[in-house]
Amino acid sequence: MSGVFQPDQVVNGRYRVLRKLGGGGMADVYLCEDLTLGRRVALKVLLQRLLDDPTFIERFRREAQAAAGLNHANVVSIYDWGEIDHTYYIVMEYVEGETLKDHIRRYGRLDGGEAVRIVTQLLAGVQLAHRSGIVHRDIKPQNVMIDPDGNVKVMDFGIARAGESGMTQVGSILGTAQYLAPEQAQGRPVDARSDLYSVGIVLYEMLTGAVPFQGDTAVTVALKHVNEMASEPARLVPGIPQELNQIVLKAIAKDPAQRYQSAEQFARDLRASQVGGPLAAAAYDPATEATVLMKQPADGRTAVMPPPHRHEASPHRAEAPPARPRRRRRLPVILLILALLAVIAAAGFGISRLMGGEAVVPGVVGQKRAAAVAKLKDAGFEANVRWEYSTTADKGTVIRQAPAAGTRMREGETVDLWVSKGTQDVELVSFKGWTPERVKRWLADNDLFGVEKTGRSSAVAEGEVYNQNPAAGSKVERGGTVTYWVSAGDPQVVVPNVTNLTQDAAKTALTDAGLELGSVTSKQSDTVPAGTVISQNPAAGSKVAKGSAVAIVVSSGAPTPTPTPTPTTPTPEPSESGVAVPNVYGMDASTASDALGELGLVSVLRRRSGTGQSAGTVIDVLPDAGTAVAVGSRVTLVVAR
């Protein structure tokens, strides 16, 4: 990872670096763990190339001070700030999820309902900043986070200006060109209405899938904000509600006085557009600004319109012409204009008559979408279909229409239909045995977010899902989060220490740990009492699969002393039967060899791979245990490699 901080580095004795999240024009951002509070945070670090610039350092410090006072659900919280080794940093809330920019890239154009939901939350956070005297100055989808629950949070006040700090140089252009307000692009003073212009551009992009102005350079794009009118969203994407189209146009008006004057007013219009209420945007006429732009000089500079009735005397004339003759000369022109307007109006009326008459809008509420569209077409109307969730109407059924049934309209006009997408709740299926990829596809198809975790389970194969929350059969609202666990293999348990326990106590301890008692072998011991475990395999503290067997060696007590033979009594010969090969299955090779040696047998080791047993464990004996052999015979121990 490139950058100032490296993984596992602890910043200021508190923030352990996990990984780098990304960077921007002023700072890099790292994901860290707050060792004091045990939570994840984002650490924003000023770029090294800016450390010698006191202006940037001061702006960075002001960001922390300004944003730390913004306590709102739709604003990323600031927790701390400081300096270490001449490196300045800010500690802020870490938001899981994706940026609005990534959201748009993933889904393309958003429907009106979702766009309104996101922008109203965005405006709620911006409104708080404006009330605190803070202008964000860099509103763009990259600075808007959407968490897995669909909550919106505004972040990055890196170029915000609190009050009249005087920090922004005259004529400087900060922010991202595609979302700049015209006055910001010109380096003129900005205020809250500049942020609302940027919010309007964000809304434009959500509804159409593209920004209104594009170019090869930032300067080209900035000039378009000043000198060009944006194409109306409804012209780019047929079917966008006229209410939202008008709201966007008012928000991105060139003249700040024509825009929304507050975030609250903007949000009020958005809410009204969803319920059919009155709109402040209805009074805005974009043609007025288009006329002003047409009068700009040919070189592209913004035209400065003279104040009304202004007159400057010519140095070559002693006085201006009399007012009365000027009005007389204008009268024929005015009459000609009025006549032309009358002709145009008459022509328009004639054209409208030729295009068709009026008809009554039929009622289609409660009908299926296809049938409703066909019925409207039969009546001479076009249908604009919108989709929304409904708890009362079946999927594909018309919920409401506008205009209402019985309204008289000119044939060929459009009737808006709202069609049910079904219930907003999704019933979860069982993910048990599914691959993570299959789960992700199912969640995406049902507008749900997933959180993947791992664990151990013998219920499914390794790499498959074995658990989920909420459980199968539960209903989850679309946009909600579902957690699922992927198996990393059989559960593992720690082998307990059973040495110095009796055989029965050892069996109980192993059972309680989820293990089984394996082979039990006796061995004489001068130090361990009879009936007590001398050793075990696998060793205490080892991690093994749940249900594994643990072999133990139990003391048979001290060996009986061998009587000293008298000189006159010859040493007895070994019996024909010799000694029996002991049961050393499951022992480690060293213990098994000792057991054979105590009986006068010679052990020979043979190692075998791929047995699935722990290395060094005896898995076979040749000849078999219990076979009578002569003292001194060779016994082969097959040992796991």
Side-chain angles (χ1 to χ4, degrees), residues 90 152 180 183 262 310 327 354 580 641:
I90 291 175
V152 174
L180 283 179
E183 62 273 17
S262 69
R310 180 178 177 180
R327 285 197 296 270
L354 290 173
R641 188 186 298 276

Side-chain angles (χ1 to χ4, degrees), residues 442-476:
W442 191 92
L443 293 174
D445 291 342
N446 289 277
D447 301 325
L448 296 172
F449 292 93
V451 176
E452 181 179 319
K453 296 187 177 182
T454 58
R456 292 188 174 273
S457 172
S458 57
V460 298
E462 184 176 350
E464 295 180 353
V465 175
Y466 67 90
N467 192 21
Q468 68 189 80
N469 183 38
S474 302
K475 289 188 176 181
V476 180

